[in-house]
Amino acid sequence: MTTNDFIAQAYGPLPSEGSVTWKTPSNIALVKYWGKRNPQLPENPSISFTLDNCHTLTTVTYQKKDVADSSFSFDIFFEGALNEAFKPKIEKFFERIQDYVPFVKDYHFTIASENSFPHSSGIASSASGMSALSMCLMSIEKELLPDMESAYFYQKGSFLARLGSGSACRSVKGRLVVWGAHPEISESSDLYGVPFTDEIAPVFFDYQDTILLVDKGEKQVSSTVGHELMHGHPFAEKRFQQATENLSKLKAILKSGNLSEFVALVESEALTLHAMMMTSHPYFILMKPNTLKILSKIWAFRAATDSQVCFTLDAGANVHLLYPKQELVTVRQFIKDELLEFCQNHHAIHDKVGNGAEQMDLSN
Ligand code: DP6
């Protein structure tokens, strides 16, 4: 598929109004996306676990404009209240996607969104938020083009989501999703995420992720700025190559189910992401002292037990604790006894691998 394949066909008569709802998950990368070029194309392939409990629920109500014009018309409600702060990001998103879903200029949209996780948790909501909005737009387009095939529907949903936020394209379909062309992953593309369809050891089907909320505040440096700093970064080329190699290695690990190798690769990826931040110009650190305390507790716990619990990090101070379901009881006890004290208000969110976006019927 190329970008041109996502340019919209001519639509028939447009319905005057309607409403659609999607629930889409957050995701956590195992091999990280860090560095992009225009238009929202990744410098290296990445792969993530799709989450289950952490999601965004978005309803888009659409009403045909009386007089069509070239502006975008929408209101956004977040958690029940009109939210002006989100408008510029959505406006930019509409600008980027207008050639692919030109009906966006024909309607006034009311977008109502809510997250399952607290907004001030430091959990990135752009992945679930942008994928939910994109899937709603795809449902509207499907109404205009009823013959659209299901594979194309999801691919285009992911394509649109990518234009909202890169990692959002991995929040559409599949338990494990790859974004970025990789020679050993068939169908992989820079344009959209694809479900990882190679063999996966059963241990990964229901992998657990507990998010330790170390810092719920606003990040000092946004992901967008962080990606930007990979341009001219002294280690950029090596890093992009390493991520590609790590994805090959992870592919084999996912098949074999070798958890020691999984732990080593995933933790190294997380620390490399933060090493890129520390070696950018200007440099910055998103981890907090409590992040590091948690990491050393995890290492001590692993050294003292036969546990395979490990951590990963996104662009922030929170720690994602990854562990197989068979360790749920012992790891949850470890979290309670040794890790919650390093979390803001002792707050953690238990999550696990999920399947992806889901359309909701709120009509009754
Ligand atoms: C560290 O997808 O939030 O979470 O494309 O600018 O919206 P934009 O960035 P974003 O970057 C996420 C980076 C990451 C790693 C990852 O999810 O792969």
Side-chain angles (χ1 to χ4, degrees), residues 73 83 92 122 149 169-170 186 251 254 267 274 350 359:
S73 174
N83 190 307
K92 195 162 170 197
E149 303 227 334
C169 77
R170 297 189 314 238
S186 58
K251 181 178 144 145
L254 289 169
E267 291 191 347
H274 284 258
H350 297 302
Q359 183 163 16

Side-chain angles (χ1 to χ4, degrees), residues 306-343:
D306 58 359
S307 174
Q308 299 285 12
V309 63
C310 72
F311 67 84
T312 189
L313 306 163
D314 56 18
N318 296 334
V319 178
H320 286 249
L321 208 58
L322 303 177
Y323 49 100
K325 183 151 184 221
Q326 75 237 29
E327 287 195 35
L328 191 136
V329 174
T330 44
V331 172
R332 293 276 174 98
Q333 195 60 45
F334 164 56
I335 294 170
K336 249 196 209 154
D337 295 343
E338 300 196 43
L339 303 182
L340 282 186
E341 63 183 289
F342 303 115
C343 300

Side-chain angles (χ1 to χ4, degrees), residues 27-313:
N27 69 72
I28 181 67
L30 304 172
V31 172
K32 309 289 181 181
Y33 146 58
W34 199 243
K36 64 177 169 182
R37 58 188 192 282
N38 269 331
Q40 290 275 104
L41 297 167
E43 292 286 9
N44 65 260
S46 58
I47 185 167
S48 51
F49 270 143
T50 302
L51 296 184
D52 195 33
N53 300 332
C54 290
H55 61 251
T56 298
L57 185 73
T58 296
T59 296
V60 173
T61 309
Y62 50 101
Q63 208 155 24
K64 201 150 176 278
K65 287 178 182 170
D66 293 334
V67 183
D69 58 21
S70 59
S71 68
F72 304 115
S73 174
F74 64 94
D75 294 313
I76 168 128
F77 290 81
F78 182 67
E79 258 121 58
L82 198 61
N83 190 307
E84 293 298 325
F86 286 168
K87 274 202 122 170
K89 194 158 184 181
I90 309 280
E91 178 90 24
K92 195 162 170 197
F93 175 57
F94 279 152
E95 269 164 32
R96 284 190 187 150
I97 62 170
Q98 58 184 317
D99 289 345
Y100 310 108
V101 278
F103 66 83
V104 289
K105 286 189 178 148
D106 293 303
Y107 287 101
H108 173 78
F109 297 100
T110 304
I111 304 163
S113 222
E114 59 191 67
N115 292 338
S116 63
F117 46 89
H119 183 53
S120 58
S121 60
I123 297 181
S125 55
S126 64
S128 52
M130 284 299 175
S131 56
L133 179 54
S134 301
M135 294 315 288
C136 286
L137 294 174
M138 284 313 297
S139 283
I140 300 171
E141 181 163 73
K142 173 113 175 82
E143 222 178 294
L144 309 179
L145 300 169
D147 294 336
M148 188 188 296
E149 303 227 334
S150 166
Y152 180 84
F153 175 83
Y154 284 102
Q155 239 162 33
K156 186 164 174 179
S158 175
F159 173 90
L160 296 180
R162 182 199 105 233
L163 292 168
S165 174
S167 56
C169 77
R170 297 189 314 238
S171 275
V172 172
K173 202 173 168 53
R175 283 196 193 107
L176 276 152
V177 182
V178 174
W179 172 38
H182 187 282
E184 291 161 37
I185 296 181
S186 58
E187 311 289 321
S188 59
S189 166
D190 284 354
L191 300 177
Y192 46 83
V194 295
F196 179 78
T197 52
D198 291 45
E199 197 182 332
I200 302 171
V203 68
F204 295 114
F205 292 174
D206 50 7
Y207 230 66
Q208 306 290 305
D209 178 5
T210 296
I211 307 163
L212 302 165
L213 302 176
V214 172
D215 187 52
K216 305 184 187 179
E218 186 91 355
K219 285 186 282 192
Q220 299 128 310
V221 181
S222 71
S223 291
T224 308
V225 171
H227 287 293
E228 196 56 45
L229 292 174
M230 287 305 280
H231 292 292
H233 189 293
F235 307 135
E237 281 318 311
K238 185 68 198 157
R239 163 61 197 153
F240 301 146
Q241 189 191 330
Q242 178 200 44
T244 306
E245 288 160 8
N246 277 348
L247 188 44
S248 300
K249 288 182 190 157
L250 188 61
K251 181 178 144 145
I253 295 170
L254 289 169
K255 184 173 174 185
S256 71
N258 185 325
L259 293 187
S260 308
E261 289 179 7
F262 179 79
V263 166
L265 188 140
V266 167
E267 291 191 347
S268 167
E269 268 292 317
L271 293 180
T272 303
L273 167 71
H274 284 258
M276 290 300 109
M277 301 173 190
M278 289 187 228
T279 48
S280 298
H281 296 289
Y283 44 81
F284 59 105
I285 300 182
L286 294 182
M287 290 185 285
K288 298 282 182 197
N290 279 350
T291 312
L292 296 180
K293 285 185 186 150
I294 290 172
L295 303 199
S296 35
K297 285 280 181 188
I298 296 168
W299 288 337
F301 184 73
R302 270 214 313 270
T305 65
D306 58 359
S307 174
Q308 299 285 12
V309 63
C310 72
F311 67 84
T312 189
L313 306 163

